[in-house]
Amino acid sequence: MIKNNKMKAAALACTVFAGLAVSAVANAHPRWILPSHFTVSKEGGDWLTFDVTASHGTFVFDKPAGSESAQVLMPDGRFERPNFVIRGKRRSIFDFHFSEEGTHKVAVNNEPSYWTEYKAGRRDTVKWAKASKAEREMLLPEKARDVVTKISFTRAESYITVGKPTQKALEIEGKLLELKPITHPADIVEGEEVTFQMFFNGEPQKGVTADITREGSLYRNHQEQIEVESDKDGYIRFVPEHAGRYLMRAHYSGDLKNHPLADKAGVNVHLTFEAVLQ
């Protein structure tokens, strides 16, 4: 029994340490994807390249977020893998040849992760363990208090259109937090209203907060960040005042009912898009 307790404590210590390190990076540095272009008009298609990183700055390369899980949702709904995936110290890159007419969704989405927060010890120290509700009983100390498990998931996405825009790639999966463009990504124009709709587990979600920032924030005194929140039907509306590339970071946090693995959700959608000149 003593040996088992020691093994349990050692496993918990490693898990807590790893959890603190990974969650700190994940929370501190939002992950995003940046295409070299958003439209392809060249006959026969063209190669595009994508940067993937995690950073506070808009389109500033910082942490080495991987792109090994990158997928391209084709206009007919099938998935393809990118070509030439490379991971560096501060970013990863991949290329893909776009030749099929229509709109593609490019996504770098990791698997959902589960984190359990609890208090332990005389000082009510808050600790974390990488464990779901199904796993936490094996890891937590007997006197753990205020135990809450959260599911964490971030989508890093963008849309590429070859020739004529299509709708198939804009459909949602019905899983966790998702963004459905009501204004087609190929039709976003400076000075004109943009509408997106936010969903959680397939249902329109109220209360999703989002900030939207145009590139070049390092070279202006004010971030000029747009802050919005989804209405009762999940709609988010805003106006990009200038042409350029934008990063939208949408977040939802809320309780889960009857979920076998988590008590709460903390989920994100990070969408990169382009507003063109009028």
Side-chain angles (χ1 to χ4, degrees):
M1 178 63 72
I2 294 176
K3 184 178 179 180
N4 289 341
N5 287 340
K6 287 183 177 179
M7 292 176 63
K8 176 180 173 181
L12 177 59
C14 292
T15 305
V16 170
F17 178 79
L20 286 172
V22 175
S23 63
V25 171
N27 292 333
H29 298 87
R31 182 167 49 87
W32 43 261
I33 179 173
L34 179 62
S36 59
H37 300 79
F38 293 83
T39 59
V40 175
S41 55
K42 182 180 178 181
E43 186 175 351
D46 205 354
W47 286 96
L48 301 189
T49 190
F50 297 80
D51 293 299
V52 179
T53 188
S55 72
H56 284 302
T58 301
F59 307 140
V60 177
F61 305 128
D62 195 350
K63 300 298 180 183
S67 54
E68 291 82 0
S69 63
Q71 290 185 314
V72 181
L73 178 58
M74 305 297 286
D76 63 1
R78 76 181 194 281
F79 287 96
E80 295 284 351
R81 303 289 293 179
N83 309 91
F84 310 115
V85 177
I86 301 171
R87 182 194 284 242
K89 286 292 185 181
R90 305 190 71 162
R91 62 172 172 160
S92 61
I93 64 172
F94 63 86
D95 296 345
F96 189 80
H97 188 256
F98 290 85
S99 59
E100 295 186 19
E101 185 176 87
T103 300
H104 307 61
K105 181 163 71 174
V106 182
V108 183
N109 301 330
N110 296 330
E111 293 296 320
S113 59
Y114 298 89
W115 302 93
T116 294
E117 177 185 331
Y118 64 97
K119 293 179 180 177
R122 295 180 178 177
R123 298 182 179 179
D124 273 346
T125 304
V126 177
K127 299 183 179 182
W128 289 82
K130 190 176 187 305
S132 68
K133 286 171 64 175
E135 300 164 333
R136 67 190 187 190
E137 294 303 323
M138 298 177 59
L139 296 173
L140 300 187
E142 292 182 1
K143 295 184 179 180
R145 303 178 294 281
D146 299 335
V147 179
V148 178
T149 299
K150 177 183 287 188
I151 181 173
S152 177
F153 181 64
T154 297
R155 299 177 185 273
E157 300 176 337
S158 190
Y159 293 91
I160 307 297
T161 295
V162 181
K164 184 180 179 181
T166 55
Q167 295 291 323
K168 181 69 175 177
L170 310 188
E171 296 176 358
I172 63 171
E173 299 176 81
K175 298 178 181 177
L176 299 173
L177 187 65
E178 294 179 276
L179 180 151
K180 180 178 176 60
I182 304 302
T183 301
H184 196 287
D187 296 329
I188 298 176
V189 180
E190 64 168 342
E192 296 184 4
E193 185 176 87
V194 176
T195 302
F196 295 148
Q197 190 174 17
M198 305 304 304
F199 291 82
F200 184 72
N201 286 341
E203 298 294 330
Q205 182 61 55
K206 177 184 177 182
V208 178
T209 58
D211 57 68
I212 303 148
T213 309
R214 181 169 53 93
E215 63 183 328
S217 57
L218 287 177
Y219 308 104
R220 55 181 185 263
N221 291 326
H222 303 289
Q223 293 297 298
E224 300 175 4
Q225 193 171 73
I226 303 169
E227 296 183 352
V228 292
E229 183 172 336
S230 63
D231 64 16
K232 62 181 179 62
D233 297 314
Y235 290 111
I236 284 175
R237 297 179 176 85
F238 61 95
V239 177
E241 295 291 344
H242 304 280
R245 300 179 296 187
Y246 286 77
L247 175 62
M248 176 177 183
R249 301 184 305 177
H251 173 75
Y252 173 70
S253 181
D255 294 333
L256 296 173
K257 295 182 179 178
N258 302 319
H259 194 287
L261 299 178
D263 305 300
K264 291 187 174 183
V267 287
N268 309 283
V269 175
H270 296 166
L271 175 71
T272 304
F273 63 92
E274 176 186 58
V276 300
L277 290 165
Q278 283 191 334

